[in-house]
Amino acid sequence: MTNDRIDNDMRIELTSQTVTLIAAGIAAIASLISLILNSSLIIHRERKQQLWQFNLQRITQLEELAGHIAELFGGYPAFEKLQQEAPQLLLQLELAAGHFRRHKILNQAIRDFHNAASRAFVARRDSQDDRDDKRDLEETFARLLKACDEVIEA
């Protein structure tokens, strides 16, 4: 009877040791999986944040460019200054439309603003009454800023 009891105790100890080892193995595997998932989630979140910061920087540059164009084309600078700066500024605006092609509302707002700026430039160059063109330039500028805000808030 004593031998049977010792044999049972050994089985119980062996079984509890085995269970302890299995539990420790499962905990280690779960810990590794958790570390891997956390790492990939952190990397994904950091990439998204970098992309967002990059887009925010581009939107800020677009707003600055559009503001400069609105002031230059909508104001009363010497025509020589306007004629000298206009081609480069309009080209930058065209490039910006390409950068924001995935944001349809902003892309269209850039195109509309570019069109209004071009018409204001031509009216000034041809010595036409440019008050309507300047008003249109201000309206499209306001729509461009609104579209920028919508992209930022999205």
Side-chain angles (χ1 to χ4, degrees), residues 127-145:
S127 300
Q128 297 174 359
D129 182 13
D130 60 354
R131 285 179 285 188
D132 289 339
D133 294 315
K134 286 182 178 183
R135 191 176 319 112
D136 191 35
L137 182 68
E138 287 301 318
E139 290 172 4
T140 56
F141 177 66
R143 286 197 302 265
L144 175 66
L145 292 179

Side-chain angles (χ1 to χ4, degrees), residues 71-86:
E71 282 299 311
L72 185 66
F73 289 45
Y76 298 98
F79 181 72
E80 292 76 26
K81 179 180 181 180
L82 183 62
Q83 190 173 18
Q84 180 183 4
E85 292 185 28

Side-chain angles (χ1 to χ4, degrees), residues 31-47:
S31 179
L32 286 173
I33 290 172
S34 174
L35 283 172
I36 291 169
L37 286 176
N38 277 339
S39 296
S40 75
L41 288 174
I42 288 171
I43 289 170
H44 179 71
R45 185 175 51 211
E46 285 178 3
R47 283 184 186 160

Side-chain angles (χ1 to χ4, degrees), residues 5 20 39 53 89 91 95 97 122 127-128:
R5 187 167 183 215
T20 302
S39 296
Q53 288 174 346
L89 293 173
L91 177 64
L95 294 174
V122 168
S127 300
Q128 297 174 359

Side-chain angles (χ1 to χ4, degrees), residues 23-72:
I26 291 171
I29 291 170
S31 179
L32 286 173
I33 290 172
S34 174
L35 283 172
I36 291 169
L37 286 176
N38 277 339
S39 296
S40 75
L41 288 174
I42 288 171
I43 289 170
H44 179 71
R45 185 175 51 211
E46 285 178 3
R47 283 184 186 160
K48 246 182 151 173
Q49 187 175 10
Q50 286 174 345
L51 180 62
W52 174 246
Q53 288 174 346
F54 181 69
N55 278 336
L56 188 59
Q57 185 180 18
R58 274 190 167 170
I59 289 173
T60 302
Q61 290 171 347
L62 172 63
E63 288 178 349
E64 290 172 0
L65 173 65
H68 181 66
I69 290 172
E71 282 299 311
L72 185 66

